[in-house]
Amino acid sequence: MNTPKIFFIILTCAFLSCANKSTQHTVETTIPSASSVAVPEFNADSAYRYVEKQVSFGPRVPNSQAHKDCGDYLAEELKRFGAQVHVQEMTLTAYNGDRLQSRNIIGSYDTSNPRRILLFAHWDSRPYADNDPPATQRTPIDGADDGASGVGVLLEIARLIGIQTPGAGIDIIFFDAEDYGIPAFDNMNYQADNTWCLGSQFWAKNPHTPNYRAEYGILLDMVGAKNATFYKEETSQRKAPSIVEKVWEAARNSGYGKYFINARGGYVTDDHLYVIAGRNIPCIDIINYNLENQHGFGDYWHTHNDTMENISRETLKAVGQTVLEVIYNK
Ligand code: AHN
Ligand code: ZN
């Protein structure tokens, strides 16, 4: 930018800083557009509808009709938003030997761009409600927050990327079979490791493009509950400290500091572990902690209360807008 233009902007700002608020707003949106594209406005109603739609199929447990229908819907939505879609089909083996017909659903933008950012969430829902009383704990849950919320936020981000590219190439992955881990009521009967995150484990060994790499990755898991609190997850902190800082700072600057708490959480077994270890991509997990509970998550976690009633547009907005700030600013 040439000097007279900068001078003009500074003068304008100086002048408008004494003017009223509505005039100031015009100036704020003008200045950044000189150096980068504007950060799009995350539409929380839109994200809420994507969450609701997923839940409307019924629990998205592998081998069920609801799971099949929802998977088809997600691939179609990514196409509609202009992504290049790759569906990775797999037969995975659960802790109990069950064969799970599964799909990782991948949407890519700006595929020739060597600078890539990976955004991911799991789209399956848990076949059990381990944290409910015995009478109901063997039935599958809605997973409105645990599963659908992260996918809903990423679909809204996909819609916005389809309208205006952020400059870097974005890959969105909806991992399957994250939530089929050994249930608490059965863990005396099985001896198995790595029973969670089956879809991401498969992808980490068989990426959709050979030698896939990204500069960094962001996992969204349980990002829609009312009054959610996101602490800095321990593996994220150790393996991707600069990304953690970037995200928490963006949240603070956008007015979402009450959701993104500036303190450490604990270790969480989640899809990011396998993406970090298998593909050497620094990743963070944005996940709702409730440190008052022994299991570390919300009261509704792995219960039949994980429903739409617990989903808040405000929380979806806080997370969605924060991620947009990070991927569109540089
Ligand atoms: C476990 O506690 C094993 N996993 C936490 C990650 C998770 C489960 N996310 C959703 N469901
Ligand atoms: Zn879960």
Side-chain angles (χ1 to χ4, degrees), residues 95 182 190-195:
Y95 68 92
I182 301 184
Y190 297 96
Q191 283 277 0
D193 292 325
N194 298 307
T195 67

Side-chain angles (χ1 to χ4, degrees), residues 122 126 141 146 178-179 196 221-222 301-302:
H122 77 89
R126 182 134 180 85
I141 62 170
D146 192 355
E178 186 271 350
D179 232 345
W196 304 85
D221 192 4
M222 301 195 270
W301 185 61
H302 293 179

Side-chain angles (χ1 to χ4, degrees), residues 98-227:
D98 283 0
R99 308 283 280 167
L100 309 176
Q101 299 309 320
S102 311
R103 287 181 287 178
N104 289 329
I105 300 163
I106 303 158
S108 298
Y109 290 90
D110 196 2
T111 50
S112 58
N113 194 329
R115 281 202 50 214
R116 309 213 62 79
I117 301 169
L118 174 62
L119 306 176
F120 53 115
H122 77 89
W123 72 273
D124 61 309
S125 59
R126 182 134 180 85
Y128 313 113
D130 321 30
N131 295 325
D132 270 343
T136 53
Q137 68 184 192
R138 284 163 200 269
T139 50
I141 62 170
D142 277 2
D145 196 36
D146 192 355
S149 67
V151 171
V153 167
L154 292 182
L155 281 177
E156 171 60 3
I157 289 176
R159 185 183 71 80
L160 295 165
I161 293 170
I163 297 167
Q164 165 79 266
T165 175
I170 306 291
D171 300 291
I172 293 175
I173 305 186
F174 301 144
F175 285 121
D176 206 349
E178 186 271 350
D179 232 345
Y180 218 102
I182 301 184
F185 55 74
D186 232 6
N187 64 8
M188 64 298 284
N189 296 318
Y190 297 96
Q191 283 277 0
D193 292 325
N194 298 307
T195 67
W196 304 85
C197 309
L198 302 179
S200 58
Q201 292 190 55
F202 181 93
W203 177 84
K205 293 195 191 97
N206 311 279
H208 63 292
T209 54
N211 304 313
Y212 177 83
R213 272 281 298 169
E215 283 180 17
Y216 62 89
I218 300 177
L219 165 59
L220 304 184
D221 192 4
M222 301 195 270
V223 293
K226 269 172 215 149
N227 303 313

Side-chain angles (χ1 to χ4, degrees), residues 4 11 24 30 33 45 58 64 69 93 103 111-112 116 122 136 161 163 178 189 200 232 237 240 247 285 289 317 330:
L11 261 187
Q24 268 186 356
T30 324
S33 66
D45 289 320
S64 70
D69 294 344
T93 306
R103 287 181 287 178
T111 50
S112 58
R116 309 213 62 79
H122 77 89
T136 53
I161 293 170
I163 297 167
E178 186 271 350
N189 296 318
S200 58
K232 300 172 175 179
Q237 184 72 52
V247 169
D285 188 5
Y289 280 95
K317 172 76 179 177
K330 116 141 201 205

